[in-house]
Amino acid sequence: MQHSPTPHVVVVMGVAGTGKTTIGPLLAARLGVPYAEGDDFHPRANIAKMSAGTPLTDEDRWPWLDAIGHWAHDRAGLGGVVSSSALKRAYRDRLRAAAPGIVFVHLTGTRELIEDRMSHRTGHFMPTALLDSQFATLQPLAADEAGVEVDVSGEPAEISERAVAALGALGPDRP
């Protein structure tokens, strides 16, 4: 894949368990840009709340999104990949306000597949019990949002290759 003269920041988004933390670094490596784990931007209070099985409110999310947006802004022209659930249009709008060139890769899959993956992962604070609230909150990318949807069935290498191909199909002014 050829890089555009001004690399964009790619936000790997989707509900918990879609593989953002797995696909993000693979995609970053393929694009030749750094990766940032979105969960690392969460304040401790957010992690405690989610660990207890309590969904975050919009007010909980704003500082987290602002921190990701700041990182993306600092990467403008340099490129990067960051993970963020970015479930609502308002969240993506907030990220775009901080870094207008952001492009989204929305990882999608069946609820059954995602729940199965979540039930087998270890060391993550997000319980499977919050998956329903994630799907209820999700607003898929709209036609006017720069981004692509990528199915998460298959192996991580396959998924990341689908993401690279989908981003390439966006045209020369995209990553």
Side-chain angles (χ1 to χ4, degrees):
M1 164 180 239
Q2 293 187 347
H3 300 283
S4 63
T6 327
H8 293 271
V9 172
V10 176
V11 177
V12 179
M13 62 167 282
V15 299
T18 54
K20 297 179 295 290
T21 299
T22 301
I23 302 308
L26 294 172
L27 182 58
R30 283 285 281 117
L31 296 175
V33 296
Y35 171 73
E37 170 54 53
D39 287 341
D40 293 343
F41 294 91
H42 272 298
R44 288 183 191 199
N46 284 8
I47 293 172
K49 199 170 185 179
M50 289 183 285
S51 295
T54 304
L56 297 179
T57 65
D58 286 350
E59 283 65 40
D60 295 326
R61 291 180 195 276
W62 298 139
W64 173 63
L65 291 165
D66 289 343
I68 292 172
H70 180 76
W71 183 88
H73 175 80
D74 287 350
R75 298 295 315 159
L78 302 171
V81 174
V82 62
S83 58
S84 169
S85 54
L87 298 176
K88 289 184 180 180
R89 170 71 185 246
Y91 304 161
R92 298 187 298 272
D93 288 346
R94 193 162 184 130
L95 292 171
R96 272 191 297 274
I102 282 179
V103 177
F104 294 90
V105 171
H106 179 189
L107 300 180
T108 64
T110 66
R111 190 192 184 294
E112 294 76 22
L113 173 64
I114 295 167
E115 182 176 29
D116 181 62
R117 288 185 178 172
M118 283 183 79
S119 69
H120 290 96
R121 68 183 183 181
T122 58
H124 196 278
F125 57 82
M126 179 67 87
T128 305
L130 289 182
L131 189 55
D132 287 334
S133 74
Q134 292 260 302
F135 273 108
T137 301
L138 176 64
Q139 297 170 342
L141 290 172
D144 66 334
E145 294 184 90
V148 297
E149 287 190 1
V150 176
D151 179 68
V152 297
S153 60
E155 295 300 315
E158 297 171 63
I159 299 164
S160 64
E161 287 304 314
R162 281 196 296 270
V164 168
L167 287 169
L170 287 176
D173 62 338
R174 296 293 174 202

